[in-house]
């Protein structure tokens, strides 16, 4: 069981999600880009690091591996090709950390090696997803390696999970993402009210994460490319009719890169 999921802030806007087991003795971190705040957190609470989950190869998600492996000797799970990852995972893999089972999805797009970890909720308050830089609150990762079609397929996999799924993304990009989302989907009332509630969290110094999948489905433009409103925005942006969902996604993603 998981007794707590805690965000350790790192760099400018990363969260290193830390799962604490119900034994109160062991922890698992997801994507430890920086070892220092992780060590500080674990040592201040007297926790051992039993496991590390990695979503993709970028340095801000893996930079702490060598240091943390040397100090705590955790089991390290992640995609193939990353130094320090001892147990390689892919589509359909299952992994148990702190007695909690996660299933693994391949979600290429941001990078080609990107994977996400889903737990069905049986050992926690509800289902949860660690999705790295694939899905963000009101946004999605940049396409560094994959194509729009790959990313859209990955986001569809995520969209098919239970709506109550808590979405643990790696970056606090929410307010900037929302500014773009409002430009791309201007007549969405749920999106407009979301802006206020997320701004309030930031004013109080609180994370906007985790999000929930149902809120993302209602407000995240990258999950809404099949909606007429997003097709209309893509059409306006490109100056020609765009109806194909992949084309809508590609246009919206490119617009966001320049926003
Ligand atoms: Zn990344
Ligand atoms: Fe990142």
């Amino acid at each position: 069981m998981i007794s707590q999921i805690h965000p350790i802030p790192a760099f400018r806007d990363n969260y290193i999600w830390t799962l604490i087991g119900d034994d109160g003795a062991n922890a698992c971190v997801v994507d430890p880009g920086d070892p220092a705040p992780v060590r500080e957190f674990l040592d201040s609470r007297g926790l051992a690091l039993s496991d590390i989950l990695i979503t993709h190869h970028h340095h801000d998600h893996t930079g702490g591996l060598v240091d943390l492996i040397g100090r705590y000797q955790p089991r390290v799970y992640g995609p193939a090709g990353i130094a320090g990852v001892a147990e390689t995972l892919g589509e359909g893999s299952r992994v148990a950390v702190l007695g909690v089972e996660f299933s693994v999805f391949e979600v290429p797009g941001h990078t080609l090696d990107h994977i996400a970890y889903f737990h069905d909720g049986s050992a926690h308050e509800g289902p949860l997803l660690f999705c790295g830089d694939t899905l963000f609150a009101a946004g999605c990762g940049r396409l560094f390696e994959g194509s729009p079609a790959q990313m859209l397929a990955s986001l569809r996999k995520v969209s098919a999970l239970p709506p109550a799924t808590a979405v643990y993304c790696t970056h606090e990009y929410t307010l900037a993402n929302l500014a773009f989302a409002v430009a791309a989907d201007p007549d969405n009332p749920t999106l407009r009210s979301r802006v206020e509630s997320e701004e309030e969290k930031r004013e109080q110094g609180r994370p906007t994460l985790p999000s929930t999948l149902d809120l993302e489905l209602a407000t995240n433009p990258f999950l809404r490319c099949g909606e007429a409103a997003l097709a209309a925005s893509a059409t306006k942006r490109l100056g020609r009719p765009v109806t194909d969902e992949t084309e809508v996604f590609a246009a919206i993603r490119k617009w966001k890169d320049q926003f």
Side-chain angles (χ1 to χ4, degrees):
M1 298 287 280
I2 305 167
S3 74
Q4 201 194 334
I5 304 178
H6 177 84
I8 300 176
F11 308 117
R12 204 146 74 134
D13 48 35
N14 286 57
Y15 294 125
I16 300 171
W17 293 104
T18 303
L19 291 68
I20 302 173
D22 59 2
D23 61 0
N26 287 288
C28 165
V29 292
V30 183
D31 287 351
D34 187 354
V38 175
R39 291 171 69 138
E40 198 180 311
F41 178 80
L42 295 175
D43 295 350
S44 73
R45 300 229 184 167
L47 291 163
L49 184 63
S50 57
D51 304 271
I52 296 178
L53 301 177
I54 298 292
T55 64
H56 67 293
H57 68 83
H58 283 160
H59 188 77
D60 66 306
H61 300 248
T62 58
L65 276 178
V66 171
D67 180 282
L68 295 172
I69 291 167
R71 183 170 167 92
Y72 301 98
Q73 291 87 46
R75 288 174 290 273
V76 184
Y77 303 92
I82 298 171
V85 171
E87 302 196 41
T88 296
L89 305 173
E91 183 75 22
S93 296
R94 285 173 173 273
V95 55
V97 300
L98 306 171
V100 176
E101 191 163 324
F102 287 86
S103 45
V104 174
F105 300 91
E106 291 179 358
V107 286
H110 176 67
T111 61
L112 292 177
D113 70 346
H114 208 303
I115 59 174
Y117 298 86
F118 174 72
H119 170 65
D120 65 10
S122 52
H124 192 58
E125 296 144 7
L128 52 101
L129 179 75
F130 294 103
C131 55
D133 291 353
T134 296
L135 181 66
F136 291 127
C140 77
R142 271 177 197 260
L143 302 184
F144 285 115
E145 297 176 7
S147 66
Q150 276 175 315
M151 186 58 138
L152 184 59
S154 296
L155 293 174
R156 280 179 176 151
K157 276 189 200 174
V158 170
S159 299
L161 294 172
T165 301
V167 179
Y168 292 83
C169 330
T170 301
H171 292 274
E172 181 60 68
Y173 289 159
T174 311
L175 295 187
N177 285 343
L178 282 169
F180 173 76
V182 167
D185 191 8
D187 300 320
N188 181 337
T190 315
L191 175 56
R192 290 189 171 273
S193 64
R194 184 179 185 182
V195 174
E196 277 176 47
S197 70
E198 305 294 18
E199 279 176 351
E200 203 178 293
K201 288 182 200 164
R202 296 308 290 149
E203 278 159 20
Q204 295 166 355
R206 290 191 288 140
T208 59
L209 301 170
S211 181
T212 57
L213 187 55
D214 55 359
L215 182 58
E216 294 311 317
L217 290 169
T219 58
N220 189 318
F222 300 101
L223 299 186
R224 296 170 51 76
C225 289
E227 300 288 326
L230 276 300
S233 284
T235 294
K236 211 165 157 186
R237 180 81 186 160
L238 295 187
R240 62 176 171 81
V242 187
T243 53
D244 174 71
E245 194 175 340
T246 307
E247 251 195 294
V248 172
F249 176 81
I252 301 285
R253 183 57 260 183
K254 198 168 170 194
W255 180 12
K256 171 69 168 68
D257 289 343
Q258 296 153 356
F259 189 76

